[in-house]
Amino acid sequence: MFASTFKELLAFLRKPKEHIAQSEPTKSKIKLLFTAYLIFLLPVMLSSSFFLLAEHFEVINGEDHKLIDMLGDTPVAVTLFLVAVMAPIWEELIFRLPLRWERAYLFQIFLSPLRLGGKATYQNGVQGFHTWWQKNYTYVFYFTVFAFGLIHVANFKAEGPIWQLMLWAPLLVMPQILLGSLLGFIRLRLGFWWAVLLHGSHNLLFVSIALLAPAEAGVHQTENYRLTYEWISADQLSTNVNNQIEPNEVSFEQISVDDLFRFLITNDSSRYQATDTTGQKMLKLDFKPKVSTLDLKRLLVQALEEHLDLSLERTKQPIDLFEVTIGDESKLVAYEQGPEAGSQIQISPDSLIFQYTNLKKITASLQEQHWGNKLRYAGDDYNLYEIRLLNLDFEELQKELSGRYGLKISGPKVDSVWMYRLK
């Protein structure tokens, strides 16, 4: 049975034919269906390895897939119904039902405008198209196969330029292309509903495997966000780090817990203070909200507290507040720079270098270096400057900023901030 089915499949795929149905018992049809699927299962599974290759070249993110989102967001019963019943019926209606001329409504609908020329014109057009159909049935068949495969590109989100994803598309959807070829054979050999049965069974098999697989501890999905994280050991640390912060996504290749919370909660009215060795642990983290939010950072703090057990203690404390203002504009203007995409900040134990950076960002960076003093830029100047400083103590820093750059640090005055500590 296996050898004969393989030969029949090979002959069909070389030269697809519209009329290959045979009258045979249901038991024989089930055997043919099962055997043909086993033949295709190995290449379908092997072709899935293209996902890993595309991930390696950063074309896609394997965790950013519509099916994965559905598994995380939708009740199991609903997921199984949609994937194993509704999707196979609709896709077979669109891509496999038209493989027989008498059911080729989607192809024939393009001839409808010929009705405007009268009944004879329409009939001649239909007959001409049918003649072309019979002569070029191989192209018709493989058109439906590749169309079926390529619509599944929509399941992926491009990590880079969209043209790169489209270039990889035939490889990424190769499992669907192979499956489409098999489903076309089954539809023509056994009938439409047999193709629906195979399609639904295939989907059910792979979704069930995904549902039964142990959940990855570092992936959490809710109706509001998707959080992926991994703790990094000392031997995994890298000197080349690509951290990305966007309005709708935060992605850190490596960041300490302390630095992460400083980024998330430090502003003019709050600050984070490191406590124990937990804050020194390193994370790889990716966070994407699924809802529109104006406070991405607050949502991420909630996710970290819920899933990573990193809780914060919030107290209000008095502080000495220093304000940075422009004391001598004639000095500062000499260091003004033209527009540039993105500021460039270099901080080392010996020096602080700011290029194409406004005074608000410069003040925030100075505060990080002098954590015992709360600094706030009190002006409205958003020009970009180049400022180079030695990493001095606070008093020497005040003299350097005033003498060379015309920036004045006044104060202190008593103020209060929210203090966050890691629990």
Side-chain angles (χ1 to χ4, degrees):
M1 182 71 178
F2 190 91
S4 61
T5 302
F6 181 77
K7 290 179 181 179
E8 185 178 357
L9 273 169
L10 201 59
F12 173 83
L13 294 176
R14 286 173 179 165
K15 184 67 176 178
K17 294 180 181 179
E18 181 178 358
H19 300 286
I20 60 171
Q22 298 178 20
S23 178
E24 52 192 330
T26 300
K27 186 177 180 180
S28 297
K29 291 184 177 181
I30 294 174
K31 285 184 178 180
L32 175 63
L33 185 77
F34 183 71
T35 305
Y37 184 64
L38 286 181
I39 292 172
F40 266 76
L41 189 57
L42 182 60
V44 166
M45 294 179 67
L46 289 176
S47 63
S48 299
S49 61
F50 289 124
F51 296 160
L52 301 177
L53 196 60
E55 264 195 299
H56 175 74
F57 288 104
E58 298 183 348
V59 177
I60 61 169
N61 181 350
E63 296 174 351
D64 196 356
H65 190 280
K66 286 188 176 180
L67 179 57
I68 295 177
D69 290 341
M70 179 184 292
L71 294 176
D73 300 340
T74 311
V76 173
V78 176
T79 298
L80 293 177
F81 177 74
L82 292 175
V83 172
V85 180
M86 291 304 300
I89 290 176
W90 278 108
E91 290 178 349
E92 294 307 303
L93 283 172
I94 294 172
F95 295 103
R96 251 67 66 182
L97 183 67
L99 288 177
R100 296 291 296 272
W101 172 255
E102 61 271 18
R103 297 288 185 268
Y105 308 122
L106 289 178
F107 290 105
Q108 296 177 33
I109 196 171
F110 292 108
L111 300 175
S112 297
L114 295 178
R115 294 181 182 275
L116 299 175
K119 183 177 181 180
T121 301
Y122 175 71
Q123 290 178 341
N124 289 336
V126 170
Q127 183 58 44
F129 184 69
H130 189 198
T131 301
W132 178 90
W133 168 285
Q134 292 174 318
K135 291 181 178 180
N136 298 277
Y137 189 75
T138 297
Y139 298 108
V140 173
F141 179 84
Y142 281 110
F143 171 79
T144 65
V145 167
F146 281 93
F148 170 71
L150 290 173
I151 65 164
H152 290 84
V153 176
N155 290 332
F156 300 95
K157 180 182 177 182
E159 287 289 284
I162 190 64
W163 64 263
Q164 193 176 38
L165 176 63
M166 298 313 296
L167 191 65
W168 278 77
L171 296 178
L172 291 174
V173 299
M174 188 57 67
Q176 286 79 18
I177 291 174
L178 293 171
L179 180 64
S181 301
L182 174 61
L183 290 170
F185 169 77
I186 294 299
R187 184 267 181 274
L188 295 169
R189 178 69 167 76
L190 302 180
F192 172 75
W193 288 107
W194 288 93
V196 173
L197 174 63
L198 178 59
H199 194 160
S201 300
H202 171 83
N203 287 1
L204 180 62
L205 173 63
F206 281 89
V207 172
S208 297
I209 291 173
L211 288 171
L212 293 174
E216 189 177 346
V219 178
H220 297 280
Q221 294 197 75
T222 71
E223 61 181 8
N224 294 324
Y225 59 78
R226 174 183 173 84
L227 171 67
T228 305
Y229 70 91
E230 177 185 346
W231 292 106
I232 301 176
S233 59
D235 59 346
Q236 294 176 295
L237 296 179
S238 172
T239 55
N240 298 318
V241 179
N242 181 25
N243 294 332
Q244 297 182 8
I245 301 170
E246 301 176 7
N248 59 348
E249 180 180 358
V250 175
S251 180
F252 294 101
E253 287 191 358
Q254 65 182 44
I255 188 170
S256 71
V257 172
D258 284 336
D259 287 342
L260 175 60
F261 276 112
R262 285 195 182 101
F263 158 73
L264 290 174
I265 65 176
T266 301
N267 53 48
D268 286 344
S269 60
S270 65
R271 76 192 224 190
Y272 172 80
Q273 187 174 66
T275 52
D276 56 25
T277 56
T278 303
Q280 299 170 16
K281 294 178 68 175
M282 302 297 294
L283 271 170
K284 177 180 180 181
L285 181 144
D286 185 79
F287 182 77
K288 297 179 182 178
K290 295 182 178 180
V291 295
S292 178
T293 176
L294 297 177
D295 199 342
L296 176 67
K297 292 183 178 182
R298 183 183 296 275
L299 189 60
L300 178 50
V301 169
Q302 293 174 1
L304 293 173
E305 290 182 335
E306 181 176 356
H307 301 296
L308 275 72
D309 196 26
L310 297 173
S311 300
L312 294 175
E313 182 182 55
R314 184 172 182 256
T315 58
K316 200 165 188 177
Q317 295 187 2
I319 61 161
D320 290 336
L321 174 67
F322 293 82
E323 288 193 336
V324 177
T325 56
I326 299 176
D328 188 343
E329 190 172 356
S330 62
K331 292 182 179 179
L332 183 62
V333 72
Y335 300 95
E336 186 176 337
Q337 293 183 297
E340 181 78 5
S343 61
Q344 300 172 21
I345 301 175
Q346 300 176 37
I347 298 176
S348 71
D350 300 321
S351 64
L352 308 171
I353 300 174
F354 307 95
Q355 294 178 293
Y356 304 103
T357 310
N358 61 47
L359 295 178
K360 186 173 183 178
K361 286 185 177 181
I362 291 172
T363 302
S365 293
L366 291 176
Q367 176 181 296
E368 290 181 5
Q369 300 305 303
H370 300 277
W371 197 244
N373 300 287
K374 179 69 175 178
L375 300 177
R376 180 172 63 194
Y377 176 61
D380 57 2
D381 184 316
Y382 286 91
N383 292 322
L384 305 180
Y385 298 95
E386 178 180 15
I387 292 181
R388 298 173 179 265
L389 301 164
L390 294 177
N391 204 342
L392 305 168
D393 62 37
F394 192 66
E395 290 184 1
E396 292 297 322
L397 178 69
Q398 288 179 309
K399 295 178 183 178
E400 181 72 9
L401 287 174
S402 176
R404 180 184 296 182
Y405 299 103
L407 293 175
K408 180 181 178 182
I409 300 182
S410 59
K413 66 178 183 179
V414 178
D415 201 347
S416 62
V417 297
W418 288 107
M419 177 72 75
Y420 292 84
R421 293 180 183 272
L422 188 66
K423 293 193 293 182

